[in-house]
Amino acid sequence: MDLKNIFKFLFKGKKPIFQSAYIIINPAAGKQQIKWFLKSAKSFLNRLNIRYDYALTRAPRHATKLAQEAVKKKYDIIFAAGGDGTINEVINGIVDYGGILGIIPLGTVNILAMEMGIPLNPVRSLNILLEGQIETIDLGKSNNQYFVLMSACGIDSYTIYRVNLKLKKYIGPFAYIFAGLYSLFKYKPKKIIIDIDNHRIDEIGYYVVVENISAYGGKLKMTPYAQYNDGLLDVCIFKRYGLWDVFRYFIGIALAKHIEYPDVIYYQCKQIKMHSQENVLLHTDGELVGSLPVSISAVKKKLKILVPRPLNK
Ligand SMILES: [Mg+2]
């Protein structure tokens, strides 16, 4: 079937939800992939009579600026075409202006797309312009930075710090596994002092993950009880730091057994504050954003997002 016939088949007289769209593309997806995507997207959007424009990001945080401008220019929907890092940047540009987020999975890691049931084929993902609906979901705010997936500190931030970007270009998510193994032996754990909901709970840990959703990476569920519409953040605190303990945690997470460990503490909360005597790196949605101290809050029903089907979670 050629493109024209595929579209005819897909449309079946349906009308799009939006009249205009702005697409922000992370060029890390590769020239060939982007060329193929744009060609298909243009004919798809033209056929739907959707006014559109697009831009490629040129530097870190550029997507935030582009997204902010697009929402001020009154585009109905702003698409982030990239991975979770690009989505995070777009969210930070639109959310305080009431912009609506669309996702085109073109990145190395597409956890949010998987969580929302968005087709991982970038062209097919556009089809939700016909069949989708808008949902409003929670976000987290880590200091001044919004996140949709997670914010964490300890060994995984160090892993992100160690990821070789050239290697990531060639082997994708496996670059994180290599960096993770390296970190396992190289990272020197640092004590993190934790205050949950204004001292309702005080804890000490060496690795802390704060999640808005249950997924962590691939199919791993770090916080199995997390929901993105309950106004709460789910927290996993890993309390020990020996090499054997960290190895045990890795295995526990892989087998979804870690929350049964007596030295892994699980909480649900509205706010968590963390600090350390040492320099502990922090990430939000897989992008390094600085070091502790941090104050992280749940922000209920904050992000409008286009999803392909009702979210009954
Ligand atoms: Mg929640």
Side-chain angles (χ1 to χ4, degrees):
M1 226 188 302
D2 63 16
L3 268 185
K4 237 182 197 171
N5 283 330
I6 289 175
F7 290 150
K8 241 187 221 167
F9 171 74
L10 286 173
F11 292 173
K12 291 182 213 148
K14 291 173 200 155
K15 286 222 161 65
I17 311 167
F18 303 106
Q19 271 76 54
S20 63
Y22 193 82
I23 305 172
I24 296 168
I25 303 168
N26 182 348
K31 270 186 192 155
Q32 282 305 103
Q33 169 92 335
I34 290 170
K35 210 173 141 190
W36 164 76
F37 165 73
L38 278 176
K39 191 177 164 215
S40 317
K42 280 175 186 172
S43 45
F44 184 83
L45 296 169
N46 283 335
R47 268 189 86 85
L48 288 178
N49 283 327
I50 294 178
R51 179 172 67 84
Y52 66 90
D53 214 334
Y54 69 91
L56 273 72
T57 59
R58 288 195 300 265
R61 313 313 312 169
H62 187 207
T64 301
K65 198 165 167 268
L66 289 170
Q68 209 172 61
E69 284 165 6
V71 92
K72 284 180 182 166
K73 283 183 192 159
K74 308 268 183 233
Y75 282 92
D76 292 341
I77 180 162
I78 320 292
F79 279 100
D84 292 317
T86 311
I87 292 171
N88 177 288
E89 289 192 22
V90 169
I91 287 172
N92 277 285
I94 65 173
V95 82
D96 282 331
Y97 302 92
I100 299 171
L101 173 77
I103 299 172
I104 296 163
L106 269 178
T108 311
V109 188
N110 300 290
I111 297 174
L112 188 64
M114 289 194 269
E115 188 81 4
M116 297 291 150
I118 288 163
L120 291 182
N121 177 312
V123 177
R124 277 193 56 206
S125 73
L126 281 176
N127 206 34
I128 60 173
L129 282 168
L130 289 166
E131 292 171 334
Q133 62 176 36
I134 298 159
E135 291 284 339
T136 310
I137 66 169
D138 301 342
L139 288 179
K141 199 171 189 186
S142 181
N143 289 338
N144 290 318
Q145 190 80 21
Y146 288 105
F147 64 91
V148 65
L149 304 173
M150 72 197 80
S151 185
C153 55
I155 191 167
D156 72 344
S157 295
Y158 182 75
T159 298
I160 291 166
Y161 173 65
R162 295 303 320 192
V163 163
N164 183 317
L165 293 177
K166 271 189 192 147
L167 199 63
K168 185 178 162 189
K169 208 171 169 183
Y170 292 108
I171 61 169
F174 292 106
Y176 288 93
I177 295 174
F178 281 117
L181 287 172
Y182 177 86
S183 306
L184 182 61
F185 295 102
K186 212 69 188 170
Y187 179 65
K188 300 221 173 357
K190 291 153 187 166
K191 191 193 268 186
I192 301 163
I193 299 127
I194 304 148
D195 154 15
I196 291 179
D197 288 340
N198 268 327
H199 297 290
R200 176 169 66 91
I201 293 148
D202 291 301
E203 280 283 359
I204 283 171
Y206 288 83
Y207 169 36
V208 183
V209 184
V210 182
E211 290 246 40
N212 189 41
I213 60 152
S214 58
Y216 178 68
K219 290 195 164 32
L220 300 177
K221 300 261 182 210
M222 176 65 80
T223 49
Y225 306 118
Q227 295 182 316
Y228 42 69
N229 49 15
D230 63 355
L232 297 170
L233 293 165
D234 286 40
V235 182
C236 252
I237 300 170
F238 296 83
K239 289 188 70 74
R240 297 180 66 88
Y241 59 85
L243 181 63
W244 165 243
D245 297 306
V246 178
F247 184 70
R248 210 163 40 86
Y249 293 152
F250 270 36
I251 301 292
I253 294 164
L255 300 174
K257 294 280 185 210
H258 59 291
I259 61 168
E260 296 168 20
Y261 291 3
D263 54 345
V264 177
I265 315 290
Y266 193 108
Y267 290 112
Q268 291 188 315
C269 66
K270 287 191 173 155
Q271 191 197 46
I272 172 168
K273 290 179 187 166
M274 294 184 273
H275 70 274
S276 177
Q277 308 279 5
E278 298 172 88
N279 182 33
V280 179
L281 294 174
L282 176 80
H283 78 84
T284 58
D285 291 346
E287 304 288 315
L288 290 176
V289 286
S291 312
L292 297 186
V294 67
S295 173
I296 303 177
S297 311
V299 191
K300 197 169 182 183
K301 302 242 170 197
K302 182 69 178 172
L303 175 69
K304 290 193 201 113
I305 180 169
L306 180 65
V307 296
R309 57 183 161 74
L311 293 169
N312 295 320
K313 288 187 185 175

